Amino acid sequence: MADRAPLLQCLDLCKAFGALAVADRIDLAVEADEIHAVIGPNGAGKSSLVGLLCGQLQPDAGTIRFDGREITGLSETDRPHRGLVRSFQVTSVFQDFTALQNVALAVQLQAGHSFSFLRPARGDRRLTEPAAALLDRVGLAAAADQPAHALSHGQQRQLEIAMALALRPRLLVLDEPLAGMGAEESQAMIALLQAMRGQVGMLLIEHDMDAVFALADRISVLVAGRIIASGPPATIRSDAAVQEAYLGGEALGRDIPATATEAP
């Protein structure tokens, strides 16, 4: 059987702000059924890469292909309709709305209905039933009727993932989903992402190395806008160039897979 093309593929992707190259001929491939992590020291260009993939930034050169089609010039709002969704693509969690109403609005957005804040989120079973199923999927069924402002930080992150899943992604770009979480909330998020494995492709941008090495099928290491290594966790763990990149930064004297962290 012929090899399938990656779900997401970047070729020679370049972006610079003046003399600062934030993407320097990046080649990256993400398969449909994997969790692919991108890690790198502070200032490596991870946020810029997310912006390029999700359409917030346009590259100076290079190509982005998704599901075999070029999307390089596609707008940020059009990419979710192709199945490329950032975890916080629906960025505004409405704090005075319940968890169920927030997800119902995301279901409504995916369905292409007019964005009304009242009737659909409060009473349309075509929206509230799938929303309830998504809340159950992310572990928030018991919080369905709680206003978003009453949820913990970790629960709000779970809610944002439920809203992203309402857009029916084929690839979910998770931009530091564990940021600001305590140990218990982090473990709950890791368990959620593990449970989603194989159901949706994931590109994980994360500074928590314990989470990265627990979750990732493959890891790409970004340093100064360049991918310096890409492969399974065991390969990345022992790569000399990766060790050198981290040993020169905040992870000085520590073992990358176990304890290294980077600034957001």
Side-chain angles (χ1 to χ4, degrees):
M1 184 172 64
D3 292 338
R4 292 181 299 175
L7 179 60
L8 174 70
Q9 188 171 29
C10 303
L11 298 171
D12 288 328
L13 202 61
C14 298
K15 181 68 178 179
F17 296 103
L20 177 63
V22 295
D24 187 2
R25 301 189 67 180
I26 290 176
D27 289 339
L28 178 69
V30 181
E31 304 294 338
D33 58 353
E34 72 173 343
I35 300 177
H36 191 129
V38 175
I39 65 172
N42 187 36
K46 299 184 299 300
S47 295
S48 296
L49 177 60
V50 170
L52 289 165
L53 295 178
C54 297
Q56 295 168 309
L57 297 174
Q58 281 297 308
D60 299 326
T63 303
I64 304 172
R65 299 183 67 83
F66 187 78
D67 195 22
R69 297 180 179 179
E70 184 172 348
I71 62 165
T72 312
L74 207 62
S75 72
E76 180 181 4
T77 55
D78 285 336
R79 295 187 193 203
H81 295 294
R82 298 288 182 92
L84 177 58
V85 177
R86 188 175 178 179
S87 55
F88 313 125
Q89 190 80 34
V90 184
T91 54
S92 297
V93 172
F94 297 101
Q95 295 293 326
D96 292 332
F97 281 32
T98 68
L100 182 66
Q101 289 166 350
N102 270 285
V103 182
L105 287 171
V107 173
Q108 181 187 26
L109 181 62
Q110 194 281 330
H113 300 317
S114 61
F115 201 70
S116 168
F117 293 103
L118 296 175
R119 182 189 61 81
R122 297 179 189 275
D124 192 331
R125 292 178 60 186
R126 295 171 299 176
L127 302 177
T128 57
E129 288 182 358
L134 286 165
L135 286 175
D136 183 60
R137 182 175 175 184
V138 302
L140 285 181
D145 295 325
Q146 292 186 31
H149 65 74
L151 302 178
S152 70
H153 174 69
Q155 287 176 319
Q156 289 207 22
R157 287 296 176 96
Q158 290 170 266
L159 176 58
E160 289 171 322
I161 288 181
M163 295 172 74
L165 290 174
L167 300 181
R168 300 183 182 177
R170 296 190 62 193
L171 181 67
L172 189 57
V173 180
L174 295 153
D175 192 1
E176 299 202 12
L178 276 70
M181 290 188 183
E184 186 173 339
E185 288 183 328
S186 293
Q187 288 304 311
M189 180 59 71
I190 290 171
L192 169 60
L193 299 181
Q194 286 277 26
M196 290 165 52
R197 181 188 301 276
Q199 300 173 17
V200 58
M202 287 176 263
L203 181 64
L204 175 66
I205 315 294
E206 183 53 60
H207 71 277
D208 185 325
M209 293 297 105
D210 289 330
V212 166
F213 279 84
L215 288 166
D217 298 302
R218 285 195 297 156
I219 301 171
S220 293
V221 184
L222 188 65
V223 176
R226 284 189 166 189
I227 299 287
I228 65 166
S230 188
T235 300
I236 297 302
R237 187 189 299 268
S238 60
D239 189 281
V242 175
Q243 292 287 340
E244 182 179 356
Y246 274 87
L247 289 174
E250 294 187 0
L252 183 64
R254 293 183 290 178
D255 179 54
I256 296 171
T259 58
T261 59
E262 57 175 300

